[in-house]
Amino acid sequence: MRIRGGRRQKNQLELAFIPQGRGETSPGRTGGTEAPRAIQVCQGPAATDLLMEEVCDPGNLKRALQRVRQNQGDPGVDGMTVQALRVYLGDHWSEIRSQLLEGSYKPRPVKRVEIPKPGGGWRKLGIPTVLDRLVQQAILQVLQKQWDATFSEHSYGFRPHRDAHQAVARAQEIVAQGYGWVVDIDLEQFFDRVNHDRLMARVAERVTDKRLLKLIRAFLNAGMLEDGLVRPTEEGTPQGSPLSPLLSNLVLDELDRELEKRGLPFVRYADDCNIYVRSERAGQRVMKGISVFLTRKLRLKVNATKSAVAKPSGRKFLGFSFSAGPVPKRTIAPQALVRFRRRVVELTGRNRGISLERMIRDLVEYLRGWIGYFGFCERRTELRDLDGWIRRRLRSAVWKQWQNGRRRYRELCRLGVKADLAERVAGSSRGPWPMSLTVAMSQALSNRYLRNLGLLCLETWSPA
């Protein structure tokens, strides 16, 4: 809709989202620009034939649009950005809505990209177009509302009001109850190996709206653009699409029910599943039985080289480990510490050629996210050691930047070091790393000085 001069009305998008057609208009509506939802919300696994109307509900779509804009993300195969989506919807929403309600909407292929895994290797992601992301998000909001309450209480990944910290805390409780062995099962390329027919059979048990079933199948089979060629997708739910986590939980709900039926304590976060037993022998038996179940029943492949039966202190779960002893404590897994140190080395490189202030700003941006997650650990000595190491990295970088004895002497004096001490160390031939431990550098770049520049203290950090 346009007005004179070609200017778009402010509320064009809102008007475009006003429902038209069956199942969406409340008979008792008396006014306003947005109709209240008239679709009866399903409870539990039961479904309705009008789910697509609920997907297209204006309020649901606005929430989906807000989430897509919050998540940002790269453009898909059509090049449309998140910022351009709102204008596009204002021009084309009526047509898109009709396609959804008629069952003729056709998703575009997803764009294949690879990002490095924290532990090495590459993770393959599939990036849908922003329009397809909006539609998937709208579907997710409707289905998750119905399905979530039916999932196992032992499942924590990609669910409302549940997170990784809760999963780790639950695992810690189980270990503290005397379950001294863990069956750590790693699924090989899980998101790329989900069988479409089995998945759609599970979806059809909960959804009777044939338009929605057809659309979900279309998203699964949309194809993948890689190296300039579109290849068909005959299995898998690409990581990067809003629907993928919910569908993966639906697939692995069968595993949850099997473990519950066998009476095994476990915690699952997405495809990361830890099962707890009281002996190594029991663990080997469970590993064999569950591997057969996953392979034959769910048609998934267990990565034998990454799966193991071991003491919880020797394995990692969502980046954490547990200390040995009768009262297990949450600790940061060694692999997570290695990745952390590697990233800090990059950010505090002596040859970056940037000021100390800029270096600390870049570093703090990373530290906030890291400590926001790993601050959940209970052994604070690890954080104290990291604090000292980070400060030494910064002092080492600054010493290297000062380049020569004359400048080092001048800078040390400027930062409050006494002249005789500054003179003794300024001409040293020792390298930046040993010089970072000297009294002079500790005085010049004191802990307080670095804090005043914005450096976080990991040991005492609090989100409040």
Side-chain angles (χ1 to χ4, degrees):
M1 182 186 303
R2 297 183 182 276
I3 60 175
R4 286 182 299 176
R7 292 167 51 207
R8 198 178 310 276
Q9 291 186 354
K10 274 186 175 181
N11 63 345
Q12 182 178 16
L13 183 61
E14 285 75 7
L15 292 174
F17 276 166
I18 291 179
Q20 301 171 6
R22 64 188 182 102
E24 290 187 47
T25 304
S26 172
R29 185 162 68 98
T30 58
T33 59
E34 180 178 323
R37 186 182 306 167
I39 305 302
Q40 182 180 2
V41 177
C42 299
Q43 300 298 325
T48 173
D49 288 328
L50 299 178
L51 278 180
M52 191 61 80
E53 276 74 14
E54 190 169 354
V55 169
C56 294
D57 177 82
N60 184 55
L61 285 158
K62 289 178 184 178
R63 291 191 296 274
L65 177 60
Q66 182 179 15
R67 179 56 62 91
V68 170
R69 296 178 69 183
Q70 288 174 346
N71 292 341
Q72 291 298 311
D74 294 335
V77 296
D78 62 355
M80 185 188 299
T81 64
V82 173
Q83 291 73 21
L85 176 60
R86 189 178 183 90
V87 174
Y88 182 84
L89 290 173
D91 289 333
H92 301 281
W93 172 244
S94 179
E95 177 186 356
I96 296 167
R97 180 180 174 281
S98 296
Q99 292 174 357
L100 290 170
L101 294 177
E102 294 167 1
S104 61
Y105 182 88
K106 293 184 179 180
R108 302 287 297 273
V110 300
K111 182 171 67 175
R112 172 73 88 188
V113 297
E114 294 185 344
I115 61 173
K117 287 184 178 181
W122 296 87
R123 175 177 286 113
K124 294 183 177 181
L125 300 181
I127 302 180
T129 66
V130 291
L131 177 59
D132 286 343
R133 295 208 293 268
L134 172 74
V135 175
Q136 287 195 38
Q137 180 64 36
I139 296 172
L140 169 66
Q141 291 169 178
V142 170
L143 296 185
Q144 190 168 56
K145 178 177 58 179
Q146 295 187 11
W147 295 1
D148 188 73
T150 71
F151 289 149
S152 168
E153 65 178 20
H154 306 283
S155 166
Y156 290 85
F158 309 117
R159 298 182 61 187
H161 314 299
R162 289 179 167 238
D163 58 30
H165 286 172
Q166 293 173 334
V168 172
R170 178 55 188 150
Q172 182 183 15
E173 291 174 359
I174 296 173
V175 174
Q177 292 169 6
Y179 292 88
W181 291 84
V182 60
V183 181
D184 187 356
I185 296 180
D186 184 272
L187 296 175
E188 186 172 303
Q189 297 180 321
F190 166 71
F191 286 93
D192 293 330
R193 293 183 180 274
V194 172
N195 182 275
H196 286 177
D197 291 336
R198 278 194 55 81
L199 171 57
M200 288 307 303
R202 295 302 309 277
V203 175
E205 292 173 0
R206 297 166 177 252
V207 173
T208 58
D209 190 324
K210 293 182 179 180
R211 298 165 300 173
L212 187 53
L213 290 172
K214 179 182 177 182
L215 182 56
I216 294 174
R217 171 72 82 164
F219 277 122
L220 293 174
N221 296 337
M224 184 82 65
L225 178 64
E226 189 172 14
D227 298 327
L229 298 175
V230 176
R231 63 175 181 82
T233 47
E234 298 175 351
E235 61 178 3
T237 59
Q239 294 186 73
S241 66
L243 263 180
S244 184
L246 179 65
L247 296 178
S248 68
N249 271 336
L250 182 61
V251 170
L252 292 175
D253 188 59
E254 289 189 73
L255 171 62
D256 297 342
R257 301 309 175 189
E258 180 67 18
L259 293 173
E260 290 173 349
K261 186 172 68 175
R262 299 187 185 196
L264 295 168
F266 71 97
V267 180
R268 182 176 66 80
Y269 190 95
D271 58 333
D272 201 342
C273 183
N274 277 7
I275 309 165
Y276 296 91
V277 294
R278 296 186 184 274
S279 69
E280 183 178 12
R281 182 177 180 182
Q284 296 294 349
R285 184 173 63 251
V286 169
M287 174 68 81
K288 181 178 180 180
I290 295 302
S291 296
V292 169
F293 174 82
L294 288 167
T295 303
R296 295 181 180 176
K297 184 71 181 293
L298 302 189
R299 302 183 189 179
L300 299 172
K301 185 175 181 180
V302 175
N303 190 327
T305 60
K306 293 185 178 180
S307 302
V309 177
K311 291 284 189 178
S313 58
R315 302 295 291 179
K316 68 177 179 68
F317 181 55
L318 302 177
F320 292 90
S321 291
F322 304 110
S323 62
V327 184
K329 298 292 185 181
R330 296 185 297 270
T331 65
I332 303 173
Q335 301 93 321
L337 290 173
V338 168
R339 292 194 295 269
F340 173 80
R341 288 179 177 268
R342 186 182 301 130
R343 181 57 178 152
V344 171
V345 166
E346 294 174 357
L347 293 170
T348 59
R350 300 170 194 163
N351 297 318
R352 289 194 66 194
I354 60 176
S355 67
L356 177 62
E357 291 80 2
R358 169 66 187 280
M359 186 176 291
I360 288 178
R361 283 201 305 271
D362 292 349
L363 180 61
V364 166
E365 184 177 351
Y366 171 69
L367 294 181
R368 284 190 186 278
W370 189 88
I371 192 60
Y373 182 76
F374 286 103
F376 191 58
C377 74
E378 294 176 305
R379 201 158 68 185
R380 312 301 287 183
T381 54
E382 296 174 330
L383 300 180
R384 186 186 314 136
D385 293 343
L386 291 176
D387 279 327
W389 175 73
I390 290 170
R391 290 191 293 266
R392 189 177 176 188
R393 288 286 312 174
L394 292 171
R395 290 167 183 147
S396 174
V398 171
W399 183 265
K400 175 70 178 296
Q401 288 178 358
W402 286 345
Q403 294 181 333
N404 56 59
R406 181 177 299 176
R407 183 179 178 187
R408 288 166 182 163
Y409 173 79
R410 185 172 64 250
E411 294 292 340
L412 288 170
C413 291
R414 182 181 67 82
L415 292 169
V417 178
K418 292 184 178 180
D420 58 340
L421 177 57
E423 186 177 3
R424 285 201 303 271
V425 301
S428 175
S429 61
R430 300 170 69 195
W433 189 242
M435 291 306 296
S436 64
L437 279 179
T438 61
V439 174
M441 286 301 289
S442 295
Q443 290 180 359
L445 303 180
S446 66
N447 295 358
R448 176 180 293 182
Y449 179 84
L450 294 174
R451 283 199 303 271
N452 288 339
L453 290 181
L455 182 65
L456 291 181
C457 178
L458 300 178
E459 183 184 8
T460 60
W461 181 88
S462 171

